[in-house]
Amino acid sequence: MNPASLIPLAEPIPIHWAWFDLLLVTTFTAHILFMNALVGSAAIGLVHAMRGDSGLAREVGKKAPPLLALTINLGVAPLLFLQVNYGQFDYVSTVLMGGWWLAVIAALMLAYYGFYAYKFGHDSLSPARRTALLAISLAGTVYVALMLSTNMTLMLRPEYWPQYFDKAGAAMLNFGDPTLYPRFLHFMVGAAAVGGLFVALLGRWGKNDVFVDVGMRWLTRATLVNLGIGLWFLISLPQEILLAFLGGSIPATVTLVAGLACAGMLLAAGFRKQPVQATVWAVLTVFFMSLTRHWLRALFLSPWFNIADTPVTGQYSPVLLFAVFLVAGLAAMAYMLKLYFKSREGRA
């Protein structure tokens, strides 16, 4: 079967595709930063809880429910922008995964309620039960991350799609893709690094030097490990895509080099135990790595699809309406955050 016959036609979009790609990369950066802070800090808290140190686990457990809420909400936007420009690939891979993908909803609900139960039941639960609760909640988020990584790789591989018919219609996963494992680990180890930075920031705000030391140690060590995993990810790519990142494509090469340079500055700030400076470099690193991920998607899909060929209708009113509500929403969020921090100052 010709895989091209399984790719739906691209739907017309209202404005130039570059706007949606820019929004996709920007919102994905915000989403991944909050996801990393949640998963990484929860993993660090779990490690310390298993060692008998419940203090750090308790602090990160308090932050887990709002972090998960922000992660989910900020994850909706990049998923929608992805579906605008690349929906004909994402929809197919989602359908092929079937129940595995639908189980993401149950895993998120399990994690959400688990983190809330951990936060409000920390003092009443035994150490073993609250550690198990934290572990189960963390496992739920890791499952979601694995399914997202699987979906994002499967959508890039239409040549794998006919395997669905060989399985007599059973749901399929993309575990045979050599890029899946380093891609997933790259996100998870990156989460440990950003989670460590989040712990360090909690320590700085709370004047807790122990948290700063622990967080910076996780940040630097996980980042060093992730550089090795990133190399594994790079060499697992098909040769033509690997060569594109090694000079064959100027945009892809520039964003990769920029991301590595920012990661180097992040490490320097981490070794100097400067959480605020490290945060700036972490944001820039994630942004450039998100851009690199975007070029990777374009290179994988190039044999099947050219985004420039997508028909444009020139309907600007929906986009203007979106922009108005975006600005109003950001203003409302800023106002609510101002009230929140003001109320905390009043209780201090």
Side-chain angles (χ1 to χ4, degrees):
M1 176 181 291
N2 183 5
S5 65
L6 302 177
I7 303 174
L9 293 176
E11 294 289 336
I13 55 178
I15 60 174
H16 195 277
W17 56 267
W19 287 103
F20 294 110
D21 273 354
L22 177 62
L23 289 167
L24 168 58
V25 171
T26 304
T27 55
F28 180 76
T29 300
H31 163 69
I32 211 68
L33 284 168
F34 278 95
M35 183 280 288
N36 285 349
L38 167 69
V39 175
S41 63
I44 295 169
L46 178 61
V47 170
H48 280 256
M50 294 174 67
R51 292 175 178 173
D53 176 15
S54 62
L56 190 149
R58 180 176 185 174
E59 287 303 311
V60 298
K62 291 179 181 178
K63 307 299 187 294
L67 278 177
L68 181 54
L70 288 167
T71 299
I72 294 171
N73 282 277
L74 289 170
V76 171
L79 186 59
L80 292 177
F81 292 129
L82 176 76
Q83 291 168 353
V84 170
N85 278 358
Y86 309 98
Q88 67 271 39
F89 297 93
D90 176 61
Y91 283 130
V92 174
S93 61
T94 299
V95 170
L96 293 178
M97 290 177 62
W100 294 101
W101 181 254
L102 291 175
V104 163
I105 300 173
L108 280 175
M109 293 177 64
L110 174 68
Y112 214 161
Y113 283 109
F115 281 131
Y116 265 112
Y118 181 87
K119 175 181 178 178
F120 293 108
H122 187 277
D123 295 335
S124 59
L125 294 172
S126 66
R129 288 186 176 180
R130 64 184 181 225
T131 299
L133 190 59
L134 182 59
I136 293 171
S137 303
L138 178 61
T141 62
V142 172
Y143 174 82
V144 174
L146 178 59
M147 291 301 103
L148 281 166
S149 293
T150 303
N151 196 353
M152 293 304 105
T153 54
L154 185 58
M155 71 169 280
L156 304 180
R157 298 281 197 162
E159 65 270 23
Y160 289 176
W161 295 355
Q163 296 177 16
Y164 176 80
F165 300 99
D166 297 334
K167 297 176 179 293
M172 63 180 290
L173 296 174
N174 202 29
F175 289 165
D177 189 334
T179 68
L180 173 62
Y181 303 102
R183 182 190 186 106
F184 173 67
L185 288 176
H186 195 55
F187 277 106
M188 292 297 97
V189 177
V194 177
L197 177 58
F198 181 69
V199 170
L201 288 171
L202 291 178
R204 188 179 185 278
W205 293 328
K207 302 185 185 305
N208 187 325
D209 292 337
V210 173
F211 277 24
V212 174
D213 291 340
V214 169
M216 289 291 97
R217 189 161 58 247
W218 276 87
L219 169 67
T220 52
R221 293 178 179 178
T223 301
L224 287 171
V225 171
N226 217 16
L227 290 174
I229 295 176
L231 178 60
W232 175 20
F233 188 12
L234 192 63
I235 63 178
S236 71
L237 298 173
Q239 184 177 11
E240 64 276 10
I241 297 179
L242 171 61
L243 293 176
F245 281 104
L246 297 180
S249 168
I250 298 302
T253 304
V254 168
T255 53
L256 177 61
V257 171
L260 289 172
C262 290
M265 299 301 296
L266 171 62
L267 277 172
F271 284 123
R272 292 196 297 265
K273 296 184 180 180
Q274 298 173 326
V276 176
Q277 291 88 333
T279 300
V280 174
W281 291 113
V283 171
L284 290 173
T285 300
V286 172
F287 174 73
F288 281 114
M289 288 303 173
S290 298
L291 270 177
T292 303
R293 181 177 181 268
H294 169 71
W295 294 121
L296 179 66
R297 181 191 304 114
L299 290 165
F300 261 111
L301 293 179
S302 58
W304 313 97
F305 173 68
N306 183 358
I307 186 66
D309 296 333
T310 303
V312 178
T313 62
Q315 295 175 319
Y316 292 94
S317 55
V319 180
L320 291 175
L321 187 63
F322 163 77
V324 169
F325 278 102
L326 175 63
V327 172
L330 291 174
M333 289 178 62
Y335 179 68
M336 287 187 289
L337 287 172
K338 179 182 178 181
L339 293 178
Y340 170 73
F341 286 113
K342 186 176 180 180
S343 67
R344 287 179 61 88
E345 291 176 0
R347 293 197 300 266

